Amino acid sequence: MAVIRGVVVVVLALVVVAAAAADGAGECGATPPDKMALKLAPCASAAKDPKSTPSSGCCTAVHTIGKQSPKCLCAVMLSSTTRNAGIKPEVAITIPKRCNIADRPVGYKCGDYTLP
């Protein structure tokens, strides 16, 4: 009887973990940050050069992701996809300010960086 109870508890635990994963318990919900990073393609030059002006497409993408969650925006900006594209996190983190996004999470800690 104790063995059956133990098996039931393990099965229930697995169901709870699977349900959490299905609901999208990651920083960006069900979409992994590396996949979400593709939405920031219009920001490629602005994320490499702090003096370049972000395009309206870039600002829209950053605002959309940031509105979903600052944690998601941070995960996207620090993702392996952005690193592999040559994005500089210390520059990318300034895009919300350069886009004049009023509701950006100023002071939000993103890895080793802080959103200005």
Side-chain angles (χ1 to χ4, degrees):
M1 191 71 142
V3 172
I4 293 173
R5 238 183 257 172
V7 170
V8 169
V9 168
V10 169
V11 169
L12 287 174
L14 289 173
V15 168
V16 169
V17 168
D23 285 343
E27 296 93 341
C28 299
T31 306
D34 279 311
K35 186 172 183 181
M36 185 73 78
L38 299 175
K39 293 182 179 189
L40 293 182
C43 298
S45 62
K48 293 177 184 176
D49 178 7
K51 294 183 171 117
S52 72
T53 302
S55 69
S56 62
C58 170
C59 293
T60 298
V62 168
H63 186 256
T64 300
I65 294 170
K67 199 169 189 172
Q68 179 178 343
S69 154
K71 197 181 284 189
C72 176
L73 183 59
C74 180
V76 169
M77 290 185 174
L78 299 178
S79 71
S80 61
T81 298
T82 56
R83 276 194 312 271
N84 291 337
I87 301 302
K88 298 176 182 175
E90 66 275 13
V91 175
I93 209 80
T94 67
I95 292 175
K97 181 177 182 177
R98 290 189 286 148
C99 287
N100 295 315
I101 297 173
D103 60 347
R104 69 184 186 276
V106 176
Y108 186 82
K109 190 78 172 140
C110 185
D112 293 335
Y113 310 98
T114 303
L115 268 79

